[in-house]
Amino acid sequence: MTTELRDIRKEEFKLFQDYVYKNVGISLADHKITLVQGRLSKRLRALGLNSYQEYYDYMIADRSGEEEYHLISAISTNVTQFFRESSQWDFLKEELPNILSKKEDKRLRIWSAACSSGEEPYSLSMFLHSNMRDSAQWDISILATDISRRVLSKAEKGVYEEKDMQGVQRNALSLYFTIEKNEAGDNIYRVTDQIKKPITFKMFNLVYDSFSAYASRFDVIFCRNVMIYFDAETQRRLISHYHKALLDNGLLFVGHSESLTRNKEEFKLIKPSIYRKT
Ligand SMILES: C[S@@+](CC[C@H](N)C(=O)[O-])C[C@H]1O[C@@H](n2cnc3c(N)ncnc32)[C@H](O)[C@@H]1O
C-alpha cells in the first residue's frame, strides 16, 4: 500500500535551497516552495517515495549524478524559442558587417551559454548562414552549453515539433530543416547538417565550472534568460568571466529582463539588453 505524498516541510525545502545554491548556483527564493513541490512531486511519485526528506537523501546518495539532473530539470525552466527577442537579431544584422570587417583572420567564435534545447545556437547558425554570403570561407564555431544533460541531448538531436517552430521564417524552414513525419503522422523538423556543423554542444555549469579555457576567445556571447536565477554576486562574477572570455569590443547579449548594473566598468550598454566589452 502506498501512503499519500505529504506536503514539503520548510526544513525540507531548505535542504534543496542549500543544495541547489551550493551546486548549481541557483537561488531558490522562499516563495518558490509550492512551485518546487509541484515540480518535484512527479519525480517522488515515479520513485515511489513519500516524503521530500526521503527524496533528498536518495538524491544525495546517488553518486552517478543522475538524480541531480532530475532535480535541476525540475527547478529550472528550459523555455526557449528560435530567434527569441527579435530586436536583438535586428541589431546583430546591422552590426554584422562591422564585426566581420575587423576580422582579418576570418575566424568567428560565438558562445550560446545556457542554450537549453538548442533553438538559440541553431538560430545563430542559420543567422550567419543567411547573412554571410561567403560563410564557407570563414572559420565559424558556435559553442553551445547548458548545465542540463536532458536539454543538451534534445539540442544535439536537432529535431523539433510543429509547436517549436514559431519564429522560424518560411524560407529558413525550407532551407535549413528537413520535414519528416513522426509515428502519429505529425510533421517533425530536423536541422540540416550544414547548420549543425559549426556547433559544439557541451555541458557547462556557468557558476562552478572553470572559464580558463575561454580567455579572449569569443566575438559574441549570448547569455539570455539564465542570470535571473542567480543572486547578485553570482551574476557579477559571471559577467566578469564573460568580460575575460570576450575579445576586444566583443558583444554580450542578455535576456530582456536582465542587466549588468554591477559591472559598469567592464561593459557599455549599446541597446536594451546588448552590451559591448569596454
Ligand atoms: C530559460 S532557458 C534559456 C534558454 C536560452 N538562452 C533562451 O534565452 O531562450 C535557461 C537555461 O539555463 C540553464 N541553466 C540553469 N542554471 C545553469 C547553470 N548554473 N549553468 C548553465 N546553465 C544553466 C537551464 O538548464 C536552462 O536550459
Side-chain angles (χ1 to χ4, degrees), residues 22 28 33 40 45 53-54 136 145 219 249 270 275:
K22 285 199 193 106
L28 278 176
I33 187 165
L40 284 182
R45 286 203 179 89
Q53 176 72 56
E54 271 181 73
T145 62
D219 299 284
N249 295 313
I270 47 173
Y275 295 82

Side-chain angles (χ1 to χ4, degrees), residues 23-26 72-73 76-82 84-85 112-117 119-121 145-148 151 204-208 222-230 255:
N23 296 282
V24 190
I26 294 178
I72 295 167
S73 302
S76 65
T77 157
N78 305 111
V79 174
T80 184
Q81 217 187 344
F82 285 107
R84 188 176 192 178
E85 291 173 25
S112 165
C115 67
S116 189
S117 39
E119 285 86 335
E120 187 174 277
T145 62
D146 201 280
I147 197 175
S148 157
V151 289
F204 187 84
N205 183 334
L206 292 169
V207 180
Y208 292 112
F222 271 54
C223 178
R224 306 188 304 168
N225 307 302
V226 62
M227 282 194 296
I228 32 167
Y229 300 116
F230 305 149

Side-chain angles (χ1 to χ4, degrees), residues 21 25-27 227-236 262:
Y21 185 68
I26 294 178
S27 323
M227 282 194 296
I228 32 167
Y229 300 116
F230 305 149
D231 66 9
E233 175 50 23
T234 309
Q235 291 187 16
R236 192 202 57 73
R262 288 164 208 90

Side-chain angles (χ1 to χ4, degrees), residues 5 9 11 39 86 166 173 176 182-183 205 247 256:
L5 175 58
R9 297 201 174 108
E11 53 285 11
R39 294 210 177 151
S86 61
Q166 286 166 17
L173 212 147
Y176 303 133
N182 65 11
E183 280 162 18
N205 183 334
L247 290 160
H256 70 267

Side-chain angles (χ1 to χ4, degrees), residues 28-153:
L28 278 176
D30 291 343
H31 69 264
K32 296 261 171 80
I33 187 165
T34 340
L35 181 95
V36 169
Q37 169 172 309
R39 294 210 177 151
L40 284 182
S41 60
K42 288 189 204 95
R43 186 73 194 137
L44 268 78
R45 286 203 179 89
L47 293 167
L49 301 175
N50 299 319
S51 80
Y52 290 84
Q53 176 72 56
E54 271 181 73
Y55 178 67
Y56 180 80
D57 296 340
Y58 176 87
M59 196 248 329
I60 296 291
D62 172 28
R63 293 184 168 246
S64 72
E66 188 61 36
E67 202 49 48
E68 185 187 77
Y69 290 110
H70 283 289
L71 175 66
I72 295 167
S73 302
I75 53 149
S76 65
T77 157
N78 305 111
V79 174
T80 184
Q81 217 187 344
F82 285 107
F83 295 101
R84 188 176 192 178
E85 291 173 25
S86 61
S87 59
Q88 294 188 326
W89 297 98
D90 294 343
F91 170 81
L92 199 55
K93 191 167 178 171
E94 267 171 42
E95 185 65 14
L96 190 64
N98 187 26
I99 300 174
L100 300 180
S101 68
K102 296 190 179 111
K103 305 282 322 182
E104 282 172 18
D105 57 3
K106 293 208 166 209
R107 264 163 67 111
L108 206 53
R109 297 283 178 269
I110 302 184
W111 186 3
S112 165
C115 67
S116 189
S117 39
E119 285 86 335
E120 187 174 277
Y122 288 129
S123 299
L124 282 161
S125 186
M126 288 189 267
F127 170 86
L128 293 176
H129 195 271
S130 56
N131 288 288
M132 289 171 71
R133 254 178 290 145
D134 58 347
S135 63
Q137 284 148 38
W138 281 71
D139 170 7
I140 298 173
S141 139
I142 299 168
L143 173 67
T145 62
D146 201 280
I147 197 175
S148 157
R149 191 165 51 209
R150 186 178 57 85
V151 289
L152 278 175
S153 78

